[in-house]
Amino acid sequence: MPGTVGLHICFDKRGREIEVLDVTPVAQGKYRIEETPIFNPCITLGDIIRVEEKQGIAYYVETVQKSRYVRYAWLLSKEAAASQEIHEFKRRITEHKGRWEQIFGGLLVIHLSKHSGVDAEAEMALILKRFEI
């Protein structure tokens, strides 16, 4: 199996919501999602999904296995998104074997193990208070 690849995935049967996502093939027609989809909030980084491919498009069929991560997301101001506080928060997430994504500059998505030593909600509450968000 090859490493991470970009895959055109459609989450609706009519083919209107096609998104190119980084995925890792795990078996024929099954992929592990390596980033947060925009068009399907029920799918998250680390989920293994099954797709059916037609004419170069992978149509989502089902989630075979849910991710081991818990997902948190916050919409940040431009100032907060670029702050040292967010930089340090993302560093702590990485140190605790979590993953983070910053989408469109201001949407911060955190993925942590259920048993992580980081209280993401409490830490982010302090940051949001500091920036009056």
Side-chain angles (χ1 to χ4, degrees), residues 9-12 17 19 21 35-45 47 49 60 63 66 71:
I9 301 177
C10 181
F11 290 106
D12 77 32
E17 296 174 351
E19 190 168 354
L21 294 174
E35 62 182 323
T36 299
I38 300 299
F39 291 127
N40 190 327
C42 297
I43 309 286
T44 191
L45 180 141
D47 285 356
I49 64 168
Y60 170 79
T63 300
K66 288 301 289 173
R71 178 176 56 189

Side-chain angles (χ1 to χ4, degrees), residues 25-111:
V26 296
Q28 181 66 33
K30 293 182 182 175
Y31 300 90
R32 184 177 57 245
I33 301 293
E34 301 296 348
E35 62 182 323
T36 299
I38 300 299
F39 291 127
N40 190 327
C42 297
I43 309 286
T44 191
L45 180 141
D47 285 356
I48 296 176
I49 64 168
R50 185 169 67 87
V51 300
E52 290 181 359
E53 296 190 42
K54 297 175 190 166
Q55 299 176 341
I57 303 295
Y59 289 85
Y60 170 79
V61 175
E62 66 180 333
T63 300
V64 175
Q65 181 180 336
K66 288 301 289 173
S67 172
R68 64 180 174 88
Y69 293 115
V70 176
R71 178 176 56 189
Y72 304 90
W74 297 273
L75 186 58
L76 304 174
S77 67
K78 185 176 182 180
E79 178 186 21
S83 72
Q84 185 64 31
E85 289 90 338
I86 292 296
H87 175 75
E88 289 299 318
F89 181 57
K90 293 186 297 190
R91 183 187 55 75
R92 280 186 35 74
I93 296 303
T94 302
E95 285 176 356
H96 282 83
K97 298 187 171 112
R99 299 200 32 205
W100 59 268
E101 300 170 277
Q102 208 160 336
I103 303 167
F104 302 127
L107 178 60
L108 179 62
V109 182
I110 301 294
H111 307 275

